[in-house]
Amino acid sequence: MAHHDVRCTWDEGLVFTAHQDDREFMLAGSADESGVRRGVSPKKLLLTALAGCTAMDVASLLPKMRVPFSHIHISASGELTEEHPKVYLSMHVVYDIGTTEEYRSQVESIVEKSVTKYCGVHAMLEKVASVTHEIRLTGSVAV
Amino acid sequence: MAHHDVRCTWDEGLVFTAHQDDREFMLAGSADESGVRRGVSPKKLLLTALAGCTAMDVASLLPKMRVPFSHIHISASGELTEEHPKVYLSMHVVYDIGTTEEYRSQVESIVEKSVTKYCGVHAMLEKVASVTHEIRLTGSVAV
């Protein structure tokens, strides 16, 4: 069975260094007194995990299905409960793909495969929140 | 209701830039041909979210409960299913705190508060996987 490991080491206050895949990035619990946030929110990493995981499926499948594209922008948003522990009630993913309407059915098929078959993060998070998505095709020229 | 947003933009191949809290870091679907992984795994971000979220509670509560400490190292590991979509069956969090056995009951109380009350990521992920934890106190000198 595959095994994954990550760790976080404390720097100061509510700032940690996240160590993952031999790379590092900063986590911060909030902005400091000067309004600067010295790292990303751990909770929002769930949204980045969702957007990033399904993004890999899209980037892998578009060339396989011979869909030309100039960009892939995937955004994810989440609505939190007011009470502690604050959890996401819903998440919404927007697939903005730089291709034309001609390829809509292929893009829809790719997104469908990702959210129903391949994307493990989606499979996990749809058990805790309502996860919806939409597809926007914003390419205007042949690529 | 609080609303969170993140996005990922495609760079090339299976490499994306994650944009979160006005900061950026790289995501990669796998290592490239030379064995270099140009970004972190989106799926493992779920583990970093878990370690990081509970880490913020610990870093916030240790000073409040007057527990002296030299370090906080929090690691999270996960066991994946073999079949697609690959999801975590279980997760384990290790709290390695640089303090002495004298403060064990306070540390246990802090971790308990985090995993039952405050940590929203824990509250979400315990619905999809079995989440366990252990506490190691590795401080040897007064801090």
Side-chain angles (χ1 to χ4, degrees):
Chain A
M1 187 181 291
H3 180 88
H4 284 173
D5 273 302
V6 305
R7 64 196 165 86
C8 300
T9 55
W10 177 70
D11 293 314
E12 59 172 326
L14 296 184
V15 179
F16 283 77
T17 302
H19 306 265
Q20 188 183 320
D21 296 313
D22 295 324
R23 299 179 70 93
E24 293 182 357
F25 56 99
M26 306 299 290
L27 304 176
S30 57
D32 65 18
E33 292 136 17
S34 58
V36 175
R37 185 168 192 132
R38 290 182 47 205
V40 300
S41 146
K43 189 172 288 160
K44 290 182 198 168
L45 285 178
L46 296 181
L47 298 176
T48 300
L50 177 61
C53 183
T54 190
M56 297 304 165
D57 294 334
V58 171
S60 164
L61 293 171
L62 284 173
K64 281 187 190 155
M65 294 189 60
R66 298 184 186 178
V67 177
F69 61 97
S70 55
H71 65 255
I72 308 171
H73 296 164
I74 300 191
S75 59
S77 56
E79 303 292 338
L80 282 175
T81 55
E82 303 284 351
E83 330 72 62
H84 288 279
K86 291 188 178 177
V87 299
Y88 291 117
L89 284 174
S90 63
M91 298 181 183
H92 185 65
V93 182
V94 178
Y95 297 83
D96 172 346
I97 316 288
T99 193
T100 56
E101 285 295 332
E102 182 185 351
Y103 296 99
R104 178 166 290 273
S105 68
Q106 287 95 318
V107 173
E108 284 176 351
S109 160
I110 286 168
V111 170
E112 198 60 24
K113 280 197 180 76
S114 177
V115 303
T116 59
K117 271 192 179 173
Y118 297 135
C119 178
V121 176
H122 191 286
M124 287 182 266
L125 294 182
E126 71 180 359
K127 289 190 184 169
V128 305
S130 152
V131 186
T132 52
H133 69 262
E134 66 183 275
I135 294 169
R136 296 177 189 166
L137 304 184
T138 56
S140 53
V141 291
V143 286
Chain B
M1 188 181 287
H3 179 89
H4 284 173
D5 273 302
V6 305
R7 63 196 166 89
C8 300
T9 54
W10 177 69
D11 293 315
E12 59 171 326
L14 296 183
V15 179
F16 283 77
T17 302
H19 306 265
Q20 188 184 320
D21 296 313
D22 295 324
R23 298 179 71 93
E24 293 182 357
F25 56 99
M26 306 299 291
L27 304 175
S30 57
D32 65 19
E33 290 135 18
S34 58
V36 175
R37 183 167 195 133
R38 292 183 44 206
V40 301
S41 146
K43 190 172 285 160
K44 289 183 199 168
L45 284 179
L46 295 182
L47 298 175
T48 300
L50 177 60
C53 184
T54 190
M56 297 303 165
D57 294 335
V58 171
S60 163
L61 292 172
L62 284 173
K64 282 187 191 155
M65 294 189 60
R66 298 185 185 175
V67 177
F69 61 98
S70 55
H71 66 254
I72 308 172
H73 296 165
I74 300 192
S75 59
S77 56
E79 304 292 338
L80 282 175
T81 55
E82 302 284 352
E83 328 75 59
H84 288 279
K86 293 188 179 178
V87 299
Y88 291 117
L89 284 174
S90 64
M91 300 181 182
H92 186 64
V93 182
V94 178
Y95 297 84
D96 172 345
I97 315 287
T99 192
T100 57
E101 284 294 333
E102 182 184 351
Y103 296 98
R104 178 167 287 275
S105 67
Q106 286 96 319
V107 173
E108 284 176 348
S109 159
I110 286 168
V111 170
E112 197 62 21
K113 280 198 179 78
S114 177
V115 303
T116 60
K117 272 191 179 176
Y118 298 135
C119 179
V121 177
H122 191 286
M124 286 182 266
L125 294 181
E126 73 180 358
K127 289 189 184 169
V128 304
S130 151
V131 187
T132 52
H133 70 262
E134 66 183 278
I135 294 168
R136 296 177 188 166
L137 303 183
T138 55
S140 54
V141 291
V143 285

